[in-house]
Amino acid sequence: EMCIRDSMPYEYVQRYCAMVIPEFEGHVRPAEDLSESPDFDEDDAAPIPAAEGSTPAPSTTSRSVALKRQTATRTYDHIRFSRHNIDTNAPFFVKVKKREELSTLRRLLTCRETLTDTLYYEVGKFTVTDLECANPLQFDYFNERVQFISTHQILLPPPNTFTVTELLVACAAEVGLDTLPEGTAPLLATTAADDGSAPAPPSPPTLLDIASRLQLVDIWKGSMYRLHTPGDGKLDHQFEESAEYRVEPIPQSIPVALCPSEYQMCIPVHHCSITSTTSTNGSSAATNGKYPPPPGGHKKLKVVTHGDPFYLWIDVSDSMADLMARIARRLGVSSQYIADWKPRLVSGTTVVPLDGLTTSVGEEIQKFLRGVRGSLTTTLPDGRKGFNFSASDPSLPYFGLEHAPIPQRRGGPANVVQHDLRIHT
């Protein structure tokens, strides 16, 4: 233990943590009081082995700051902090900037003017200085079944200096992809030689081949807001640290032999919960999924998206049973698994239930889009038609699957360890 001050700058808190958290033990020289000892040489810090699991020590001091470690790396500037949110009992999405003038220990421990006893830290791949001066992107990689595989982080050049294709090549390299995503179009074999010999097998795919079959989706709280595909041109915006980004294989359309391309449509599918509040004679009661409201009542809908949304190609002549079977195949689950999911068409708080639908899904979608958008479809990058929606419009229409939230399984970084750090102020 050592006495420190709540006025310590962010960097001094980093140095202090490098001295006391177990992963750094023995690699950094001690100091009597870091608030009085500003000199520190990064060369004093040696590479750190992966931490072993341990049990947090009980707190015995007036203020115990619990630190939660996520990954391992080298120097004190790789230690990054997150404040504790007293409302959610979890870390804030938005990080305190190291370079801000008021980034002190007190600021790191403060939530809405309240001094907390918890501080989160992660030992990341990049230094905090690099992260704050560059254009970082943290993304999850998903497979073709909309299943989480891994989390990654890369540093990018400033906006307007690279294309979406170049970004997806960097993402494919970071994930370590060396084969084409399952279900995507294969590479073509070399044409047969003039002498009639068999065509040569295709060469191993390059990163560019793999990236051309990937897309980047901007997601927030279970809703898709922006889609980036190869050929989109240069990216003109900075990635937001609080947003959720997902790299995944581009969903494949239906084989033309089964459905001509002019009868296909790509739709966004969101998982959601819908609550209707019905008021009658001044009283109100919350019910789920009851449409329409009872006679004499007034209904207001609250739609909350959750889970992992996805894109799905459908045949406009599909019945509801056909579409739900496509959803099951897309997610790699049985029809029984999704039997209780209720199909909806949603735009903002406008909800159209599709239970017991007797017409084709495509016909209902077209009627719905006429009502909420004034037009039917938009042209997708490959020339086919899809939902007409705008990333800047808050009332994005989508096909909803109403059901209770399913706990998301995330592998998370390896070697997650929790420790108590005793700090006196």
Side-chain angles (χ1 to χ4, degrees):
E1 295 185 11
M2 64 177 65
C3 184
I4 64 175
R5 301 175 180 176
D6 60 6
S7 60
M8 285 176 61
Y10 191 112
E11 183 168 336
Y12 288 4
V13 182
Q14 287 179 303
R15 296 172 178 177
Y16 174 81
C17 289
M19 295 177 57
V20 297
I21 60 178
E23 303 89 297
F24 283 82
E25 187 175 358
H27 297 295
V28 182
R29 63 177 175 82
E32 290 297 324
D33 187 344
L34 284 176
S35 63
E36 299 293 336
S37 178
D39 295 328
F40 184 90
D41 188 350
E42 289 191 7
D43 292 336
D44 292 335
I48 302 160
E52 299 292 332
S54 63
T55 303
S59 170
T60 57
T61 59
S62 58
R63 181 169 300 136
S64 174
V65 180
L67 299 177
K68 297 178 171 59
R69 179 186 177 280
Q70 293 182 316
T71 55
T73 188
R74 299 176 179 275
T75 67
Y76 75 87
D77 199 28
H78 289 80
I79 302 174
R80 198 177 193 196
F81 302 109
S82 298
R83 292 181 299 141
H84 180 65
N85 189 329
I86 60 178
D87 296 322
T88 63
N89 198 34
F92 272 105
F93 274 114
V94 180
K95 304 279 197 302
V96 174
K97 299 289 187 181
K98 175 181 178 178
R99 55 187 176 182
E100 291 177 353
E101 183 178 354
L102 298 179
S103 291
T104 63
L105 177 59
R106 173 169 288 274
R107 173 79 174 99
L108 292 170
L109 294 176
T110 300
C111 175
R112 296 203 325 269
E113 308 302 325
T114 300
L115 200 62
T116 70
D117 63 356
T118 301
L119 177 64
Y120 299 89
Y121 81 90
E122 56 189 280
V123 186
K125 177 180 178 181
F126 303 106
T127 66
V128 176
T129 301
D130 286 340
L131 289 173
E132 294 185 359
C133 294
N135 182 13
L137 168 64
Q138 180 166 308
F139 66 92
D140 292 333
Y141 180 67
F142 274 58
N143 66 12
E144 69 286 346
R145 300 298 183 194
V146 199
Q147 296 169 339
F148 168 83
I149 301 299
S150 53
T151 297
H152 304 271
Q153 189 175 44
I154 57 177
L155 292 183
L156 298 167
N160 287 310
T161 61
F162 59 94
T163 65
V164 173
T165 298
E166 291 169 333
L167 166 64
L168 292 172
V169 167
C171 292
E174 177 64 23
V175 176
L177 299 178
D178 55 9
T179 59
L180 298 179
E182 184 179 342
T184 60
L187 295 177
L188 298 178
T190 306
T191 55
D194 294 336
D195 59 5
S197 59
S203 302
T206 65
L207 282 175
L208 184 58
D209 294 326
I210 296 171
S212 67
R213 291 158 172 79
L214 300 176
Q215 63 185 18
L216 175 69
V217 189
D218 184 348
I219 298 172
W220 175 247
K221 294 185 176 180
S223 293
M224 297 184 290
Y225 284 93
R226 185 177 296 174
L227 174 65
H228 300 289
T229 58
D232 276 355
K234 292 185 177 180
L235 281 168
D236 59 358
H237 62 276
Q238 190 96 3
F239 289 105
E240 298 180 20
E241 191 165 29
S242 58
E244 302 170 39
Y245 297 99
R246 191 171 83 196
V247 173
E248 63 185 10
I250 297 174
Q252 293 300 292
S253 57
I254 305 169
V256 176
L258 300 178
C259 176
S261 58
E262 60 267 26
Y263 295 109
Q264 298 187 34
M265 177 183 289
C266 187
I267 63 173
V269 182
H270 292 179
H271 304 272
C272 62
S273 300
I274 303 175
T275 301
S276 61
T277 301
T278 305
S279 300
T280 307
N281 298 326
S283 63
S284 64
T287 57
N288 286 320
K290 296 183 178 179
Y291 314 101
H298 177 68
K299 180 191 65 174
K300 292 184 178 180
L301 293 180
K302 180 181 180 181
V303 183
V304 178
T305 54
H306 54 77
D308 298 313
F310 56 95
Y311 289 95
L312 178 73
W313 282 97
I314 67 169
D315 182 335
V316 294
S317 64
D318 279 344
S319 66
M320 183 52 61
D322 294 332
L323 188 144
M324 295 303 287
R326 291 190 191 279
I327 290 174
R329 289 194 296 271
R330 176 81 164 91
L331 300 179
V333 298
S334 66
S335 297
Q336 290 75 19
Y337 183 84
I338 64 172
D340 294 332
W341 294 5
K342 302 174 183 178
R344 307 285 186 240
L345 291 176
V346 183
S347 178
T349 58
T350 301
V351 179
V352 175
L354 299 178
D355 308 86
L357 184 67
T358 57
T359 57
S360 70
V361 175
E363 183 177 339
E364 290 301 313
I365 289 176
Q366 291 174 0
K367 288 193 298 185
F368 180 72
L369 290 177
R370 281 194 189 98
V372 301
R373 305 295 295 177
S375 59
L376 297 180
T377 58
T378 188
T379 301
L380 299 170
D382 62 0
R384 296 189 176 125
K385 302 295 183 180
F387 256 46
N388 183 3
F389 68 92
S390 167
S392 61
D393 193 320
S395 60
L396 308 180
Y398 58 85
F399 186 90
L401 296 170
E402 184 185 358
H403 60 88
I406 299 174
Q408 291 179 293
R409 293 181 174 87
R410 294 288 188 267
N415 300 318
V416 176
V417 185
Q418 178 175 317
H419 301 287
D420 281 346
L421 175 63
R422 302 182 180 91
I423 294 182
H424 298 290
T425 58

